[in-house]
Amino acid sequence: MSAWGYSSRPRCGGVSYVKPSDYTPAQLQFLKAFFISNVLPLLTPLRTGEKDVFPSIGNLRLHAAFLLKKDAEAASEYLEKSGIVTDETKELPTISIVQIPASISRIVWLPDNGERRLFTLLDDVVRTFGQCLFPGFSVEETLLFKVTRDADSAVDEDRDDDFIEAIQEILSARLSSFPVRMICTGNSPTILSYLKTGMDLTEAEIYQVPPPIDFSTLNELVNSEGLDRLRYPVWEHYWPVDFPSDTPLWDTLDCTDLLLHVPYQKYDPVIRFINDAADDPSVLAIKITLYRTSGDSPIIRTLERAARSGKHVTVFVELKARFDEERNISWAYRLEKAGVIVVYGIAKIKVHAKLLLVVRRKAGGISRYVYLSTGNFNDKTARLYVDMSLFTTNEDITNDATLFSI
């Protein structure tokens, strides 16, 4: 049994993972050509020969470490000329670290054998043909590992004049903060000891796991061509019956509140509500809080359109949304360029509210429409996450929303 819970070549529905020990001669020939053409130019071995000098290891990046044997005169000469080995470091184990490229797919499809589709992993390919990186030397042992660095640095929230710069400093520091965990796979006590010492890790912070590391990267298999038969039927998101299907919500909301329950119901009414607000000449102002949103957000585009058309658009962007800080800063800059008023968070407070306020002129005065939700303004996660959203003109709620937004 393997880590996959099946035989040495696990398979499901005609798809099989092939591990390095099971490569056929034809597969080895194919993978070597693939490695030399597509992978080798992307690799950069990191030097580890100097005492008290440890190479920079990226946060949450997959790396392969190689223990090299200086078993030839040419090898020793090469190492000494390159500076990797000096008189001072000849007694140290020769270890090189290579980051697995994140810019190409981790799934490497092998030529089909007529019965099923075969794939291996990019990290397997790098470990198998890493020898090409070290001409004249033999690879004695290898280890795959991924390091998690501390992400709990607190931003200096007293820097009101340059709060974004303070956030950016935290993002930069996070890349080189101290390691708090290492996941690894492979059998190399020498490499493991070197990494443990170099990163000052304790035994409790090292997790040795069966391969492969990080199953989440295998999500690519879900969308692979020719595997439709293995997928669950597409979930049908229903249009909520209480919502008008072809007219704006204004008249309906003037009479009653509306409740939306995703993902069982479609998220489309939210997108359409914001679009109607952006395009309706009677809408005077749109105010919204953004904590997290999707990568290519239709909501961001709509807010830009509304601002460019002359509407008063205010967006509260929570810059302290953990691990989305960089994206939110990008949204904030983009919205400002479109003429949106952007508020960059509140010192000492993290705002999780999902709130949208629309101010609209109508006969007899103005009306305020509020959208409140347990879920982010994210059209992607709304297809999966369970959230409740309320559309209302309730005066108590609209008063609260107005006070919050001014």
Side-chain angles (χ1 to χ4, degrees):
M1 297 286 285
S2 74
W4 294 67
Y6 300 99
S7 64
S8 61
R9 180 172 287 180
R11 55 185 178 269
C12 176
V15 181
S16 299
Y17 162 67
V18 183
K19 61 183 182 179
S21 60
D22 290 336
Y23 291 158
T24 66
Q27 289 169 346
L28 283 169
Q29 184 178 3
F30 169 82
L31 289 173
K32 185 172 184 178
F34 170 81
F35 175 81
I36 292 173
S37 299
N38 300 282
V39 184
L40 185 61
L42 306 177
L43 302 180
T44 304
L46 299 178
R47 172 176 172 174
T48 65
E50 297 180 5
K51 288 183 178 179
D52 303 320
V53 174
F54 193 81
S56 174
I57 303 297
N59 181 44
L60 298 177
R61 296 290 190 179
L62 190 60
H63 292 78
F66 299 87
L67 177 63
L68 307 177
K69 181 179 179 181
K70 303 184 289 291
D71 59 350
E73 184 176 337
S76 295
E77 182 180 347
Y78 174 85
L79 287 169
E80 290 177 15
K81 285 182 178 179
S82 66
I84 295 177
V85 172
T86 64
D87 290 339
E88 195 179 34
T89 63
K90 281 183 177 178
E91 301 305 318
L92 297 176
T94 303
I95 295 173
S96 186
I97 296 174
V98 177
Q99 181 175 305
I100 305 297
S103 55
I104 59 176
S105 172
R106 195 178 172 204
I107 303 296
V108 179
W109 291 103
L110 296 166
D112 294 348
N113 66 356
E115 299 177 2
R116 55 187 182 272
R117 297 192 66 185
L118 308 175
F119 75 94
T120 191
L121 299 177
L122 182 62
D123 25 303
D124 293 332
V125 176
V126 172
R127 291 178 72 183
T128 300
F129 299 101
Q131 175 74 57
C132 299
L133 292 164
F134 315 106
F137 315 111
S138 61
V139 174
E140 295 292 289
E141 299 172 2
T142 63
L143 189 81
L144 279 172
F145 68 95
K146 176 183 284 191
V147 172
T148 303
R149 296 186 176 275
D150 176 59
D152 200 28
S153 302
V155 64
D156 181 1
E157 300 193 36
D158 293 325
R159 293 171 57 178
D160 294 333
D161 57 334
D162 58 354
F163 189 57
I164 289 184
E165 184 178 341
I167 292 285
Q168 290 172 328
E169 289 173 2
I170 290 297
L171 295 177
S172 178
R174 189 179 289 169
L175 298 175
S176 57
S177 59
F178 63 88
V180 296
R181 181 183 71 166
M182 182 177 77
I183 303 175
C184 61
T185 184
N187 184 22
S188 177
T190 302
I191 297 176
L192 186 59
S193 175
Y194 170 76
L195 295 174
K196 177 184 174 183
T197 302
M199 290 185 282
D200 195 24
L201 293 166
T202 66
E203 288 291 341
E205 294 168 334
I206 297 175
Y207 297 80
Q208 292 184 267
V209 299
I213 291 177
D214 191 1
F215 278 95
S216 66
T217 59
L218 303 183
N219 286 337
E220 182 184 334
L221 291 173
V222 175
N223 298 316
S224 297
E225 294 182 5
L227 302 181
D228 291 344
R229 67 190 184 284
L230 302 179
R231 301 185 184 99
Y232 288 113
V234 176
W235 175 267
E236 184 176 354
H237 305 270
Y238 296 94
W239 182 270
V241 295
D242 294 333
F243 286 68
S245 59
D246 54 2
T247 58
L249 298 181
W250 317 125
D251 292 341
T252 304
L253 291 177
D254 286 338
C255 301
T256 185
D257 294 345
L258 293 173
L259 188 68
L260 184 69
H261 190 189
V262 298
Y264 307 103
Q265 295 173 324
K266 289 186 175 182
Y267 190 71
D268 297 35
V270 179
I271 304 296
R272 203 182 77 183
F273 182 59
I274 300 175
N275 273 298
D276 288 342
D279 297 333
D280 189 333
S282 296
V283 169
L284 305 176
I286 301 171
K287 299 185 177 185
I288 188 173
T289 62
L290 290 181
Y291 187 75
R292 303 184 197 274
T293 188
S294 58
D296 183 24
S297 173
I299 292 174
I300 297 292
R301 296 195 299 271
T302 301
L303 294 172
E304 289 176 309
R305 188 174 77 250
R308 290 193 176 105
S309 70
K311 288 181 169 54
H312 182 95
V313 181
T314 303
V315 177
F316 180 101
V317 179
E318 180 51 80
L319 296 182
K320 299 190 291 289
R322 183 68 62 88
F323 302 119
D324 268 345
E325 300 97 335
E326 190 169 5
R327 173 179 288 177
N328 285 4
I329 289 173
S330 175
W331 288 143
Y333 282 146
R334 178 172 158 182
L335 289 166
E336 280 187 328
K337 289 181 179 178
V340 174
I341 299 171
V342 178
V343 180
Y344 295 103
I346 301 174
K348 316 297 183 183
I349 295 175
K350 182 181 285 189
V351 176
H352 282 263
K354 287 76 178 180
L355 168 68
L356 169 64
L357 171 66
V358 177
V359 181
R360 183 173 181 266
R361 183 193 298 114
K362 67 177 188 177
I366 64 170
S367 291
R368 293 170 296 177
Y369 303 84
V370 168
Y371 166 88
L372 295 169
S373 181
T374 61
N376 294 305
F377 287 97
N378 191 319
D379 55 299
K380 300 293 192 300
T381 57
R383 301 171 189 169
L384 303 170
Y385 296 175
V386 177
D387 283 299
M388 307 294 290
S389 302
L390 174 69
F391 297 77
T392 184
T393 57
N394 178 280
E395 190 170 346
D396 291 334
I397 295 176
T398 58
N399 284 339
D400 281 348
T402 301
L403 290 172
F404 175 82
S405 64
I406 60 176

